[in-house]
Amino acid sequence: MTSKPRIFQNIPRPDPATASALREQGTATVHEAQARTGLARPYLRPIYPNAKIAGPAVTVLCQPGDNLMIHAAIEVCAPGDVLVVATTSDSTDGMFGDLLGVLCQARGVIALIIDAGVRDTVELAAMQFPVWAKAICAQGTVKASAGSVNVPVVCAGVVVNPGDVVVADSDGVVVVPLKCAAQVALLGQDRIEKEQTARERFRKGELSLDVFGLRAKLKELGVEYCGDVTDPPS
């Protein structure tokens, strides 16, 4: 992270078709497809059910209890972007509410991911503006401290660079590095097809031990099948 407050106005962005594919695949599949990396800590929760998004990150680094840089970041957002907000130290203050939600929607911002608090959640939910936040808190904020926009940040334990694809749904939030996004989308589709084949075999009564070839793993680990239980466990 840079120490000097800066606002970078232009960022790289993924192909829209790639972002759309990752959105449809969802957080769990994308996380598995990229070798179980990029998952944000599970305290980031959506403020209403069934929200589902994917888009390039516009990153925001704020001082705790100060949302000045969120206002600055919205100016440089493009339609389809996701605001990703981190703070320089731990905060649960309500740094975003329905007024900023209205502005974001007018600018085409599709969601907010914030490692801090959010307020006016009833209004935001009614607007269908998706937010994943650490906390819901009515504590207001000031607009007095400098921060940065479009610099690398750590949000809920995961590094987010400007332009990385953020995928979020009811399972949580996962970040896909921009340079890997197209490949992860392909791997995710392959995983979906394999899972569908597994479902069909399960419906026919086949065991996961056989479908996933796990009997060999049990043997490798020295697990023995012993037949009837003749004596109670000691």
Side-chain angles (χ1 to χ4, degrees), residues 144-156:
S145 304
S148 291
V149 175
N150 283 326
V151 299
V153 300
V154 177
C155 180

Side-chain angles (χ1 to χ4, degrees), residues 124-135:
L124 289 167
M127 293 163 49
Q128 292 289 284
F129 184 75
V131 175
W132 283 258
K134 176 194 292 186

Side-chain angles (χ1 to χ4, degrees), residues 49 63 83 90 106 122 125 142 152 174 176 195-196 209 211-212:
Q63 300 296 323
L83 274 177
D90 188 65
V122 171
V142 299
V174 67
V176 182
E195 288 180 349
Q196 182 55 36
L209 285 173
V211 172
F212 297 144

Side-chain angles (χ1 to χ4, degrees), residues 92-163:
T92 56
D93 292 348
M95 297 177 64
F96 188 99
D98 71 303
L99 288 180
L100 283 176
V102 169
L103 178 56
C104 281
Q105 284 192 325
R107 301 285 294 188
V109 177
I110 61 170
L112 170 73
I113 311 295
I114 183 166
D115 196 2
V118 65
R119 55 185 179 169
D120 302 332
T121 54
V122 171
E123 292 83 356
L124 289 167
M127 293 163 49
Q128 292 289 284
F129 184 75
V131 175
W132 283 258
K134 176 194 292 186
I136 296 172
C137 182
Q139 176 66 50
T141 55
V142 299
K143 300 167 181 62
S145 304
S148 291
V149 175
N150 283 326
V151 299
V153 300
V154 177
C155 180
V158 64
V159 175
V160 189
N161 289 288

Side-chain angles (χ1 to χ4, degrees), residues 34-68:
Q34 64 172 2
R36 298 182 183 180
T37 61
L39 189 65
R41 289 176 180 155
Y43 59 67
L44 288 185
R45 302 306 305 152
I47 63 168
Y48 63 85
N50 302 321
K52 187 173 185 177
I53 63 95
V58 169
T59 60
V60 192
L61 183 62
C62 296
Q63 300 296 323
D66 192 312
N67 72 352
L68 174 63

